[in-house]
Structures are given as structure tokens and as C-alpha cells.
Amino acid sequence: MTTRLSQDEIERYSRQIMIPDFGGKSQIRLSESKALVIGAGGLGSPAAFYLAAAGVGLLGLIDGDRVELSNLQRQILHTTQDIGREKVASAKEKLAGLNPEIAIKIYPTRLQPENAPEIFAAYDFIVDGSDNFDTKFLVNDTAVSLGKAFSHAGIVRLHGQTMTVVPRKSACYRCVFQEPPGPGELMNCQQAGILGAVAGVIGAIQATEAIKYLSGMDEELLTDRVLTYDAKTMNFRTIEIRKNPACAACGEKAERRSHELR
Ligand code: ZN
């Protein structure tokens, strides 16, 4: 099947199609691809907005929460009128309004070990915009076992960090942070606070990585590196990381186990 871009699509995406590294070929690849965004919150909002605007073929959104007044400072998919609505329904309305050319699938539920493998299987790239460590590790382990590339991110106060994982090629989240911190060891943004614009920066980086991967501009992804952002000093740093051979998700033992299961 060869996809052709309509006249409207060529005009809509013209500013990215004219980028020499991108072009019509990447646009077609993107329009045939499927991305899943976990969480329609501070990270998921900007990520989903840019993925929809760029013309990803199918955009999946999973979130079990409803919009609250305290979300609006950073979760820019939602407006004051949306308070009390399911976040995914509110998000779908905005994204469909922005770009009616794409398909949007919503899951008004929480990502759990029971539903993660089936949902992930339908997508090519996953953007993790979740706000808790259990979900971040669940995303990592499910994506690694299914061989799905994904973008991890974490934000708190004026800090953000993000990394891209391409299973079997690069280090995974568990290679670096072996297991979730105990209760009370680390604060999430509900307890510690977050500046909305910091979430916007990191979410936009996650969307950029997804677009690069899905459109075939994937020679240099944010893999085997963690990018940290300190908005207070306005410093970006990248820290090199390595695949851990003893990693419980992607190490030698885990590989052998998944081979035996196959
Ligand atoms: Zn690993």
C-alpha cells in the first residue's frame, strides 16, 4: 500500500516537509505510524499536541483521571470548562479539533500490568508521561519485553529528565534506576510541585523523539544518555549511561527467559 498525501495534508505539514532531513517520505511514514501517550497530564499534553499537529497516523491516549482545577497550570490540553470531565475525552476533543486528519483512540483507564501488554502491542512508539514510579517501571518492562521503543521522562519542581529507550539496542530505564524508590524516598510533582513550563519543555522533547523515531529520522536518538534540564540555572546536561548486563528487564538473564517463553 502506498499512501499519498492529499493537497490539504501537503499544505498542513509543509513547514516540516520542507526540512531536508524530513521531506515527504518521512511525512508518509509518520502518517502510517501509531504512537501511544500515557497520561493526558503535564507531559502528555504537550507531547500529544505536537504528535497530533505533526500528523502521526494513530494517536492513542490512556488516562483514568478526571480534570481538576489544580491540573490546569500545566496540563494544557484541558480548559476551565473541562473540570470534572474524563481527561482523555477532553484531550480527544482538542486534538481532533487541531488535526482532523489523524485517528485518535482513547483509553479512560489506568495503565496496569493486566492491560499494558495488549495496549502496547498496537503501537510503534510509546511516550511515557506518567507521574509515578510504578507506572514508569511498568512502561519500561512491558516495552522492553515487547521490543517497543519509548520515551521516559520525569519532572519535579524546576527539574526534568528524559531518555529514549530502543529495546535490544540501548540501555533501558531499569538499567539506570534498578527499582522504584521506597515510599517517601522521592517526591512526585503532586507532593513537591512543578512549574508548568518545565513539563512543557520535557514533553516537547518526548514528542520530538517520537517523531524522529516514527518518521525514520532515527540515526541519533536520545538513547544511552539521560538528558537533564535545570530550569533554575537553565542548564541542559546529558549523562552517558550503559546497558547493564545484569538488568532485570533487558539483561542476559531476562533475554534468556524471554527466549524460553517464545
Ligand atoms: Zn535494562
Side-chain angles (χ1 to χ4, degrees), residues 1 9 19 25 30 38 41 45 54 57 59 70-71 98 123-124 162 179 184 187 190-191 197 199 219 229-230 237:
M1 190 189 76
E9 286 175 297
I19 302 169
K25 235 193 216 160
L30 193 59
I38 297 161
S45 286
L59 183 57
S70 64
N71 297 153
L98 172 62
Y123 294 90
D124 307 310
T162 178
E179 53 188 53
M187 289 180 291
Q190 203 180 340
Q191 299 151 324
E219 303 86 23
Y229 169 45
D230 181 350
R237 287 176 58 208

Side-chain angles (χ1 to χ4, degrees), residues 37-49:
V37 175
I38 297 161
L43 293 165
S45 286
F49 259 131

Side-chain angles (χ1 to χ4, degrees), residues 160-235:
Q161 68 173 34
T162 178
M163 67 185 275
T164 301
V165 176
V166 179
R168 293 190 256 289
K169 286 191 181 158
S170 71
C172 82
Y173 179 59
R174 204 181 270 281
C175 286
V176 192
F177 308 95
Q178 276 89 36
E179 53 188 53
E185 258 181 70
L186 272 178
M187 289 180 291
N188 61 29
C189 67
Q190 203 180 340
Q191 299 151 324
I194 173 71
L195 194 71
V198 171
V201 168
I202 300 294
I205 291 172
Q206 292 190 280
T208 310
E209 287 287 286
I211 291 165
K212 282 164 61 187
Y213 181 85
L214 295 169
S215 66
M217 276 198 312
D218 56 352
E219 303 86 23
E220 281 185 70
L221 293 165
L222 187 60
T223 47
D224 293 319
R225 290 176 287 165
V226 177
L227 176 75
T228 65
Y229 169 45
D230 181 350
K232 198 170 177 182
T233 57
M234 211 39 88
N235 277 316

Side-chain angles (χ1 to χ4, degrees), residues 1 3 5 22 57 78 104 109 123-124 126 133 143 196 209 222 229 247-248 250-251:
M1 190 189 76
T3 309
L5 297 171
F22 198 82
H78 317 295
I104 302 166
T109 184
Y123 294 90
D124 307 310
I126 293 142
F133 290 101
E209 287 287 286
L222 187 60
Y229 169 45
C247 172
C250 76

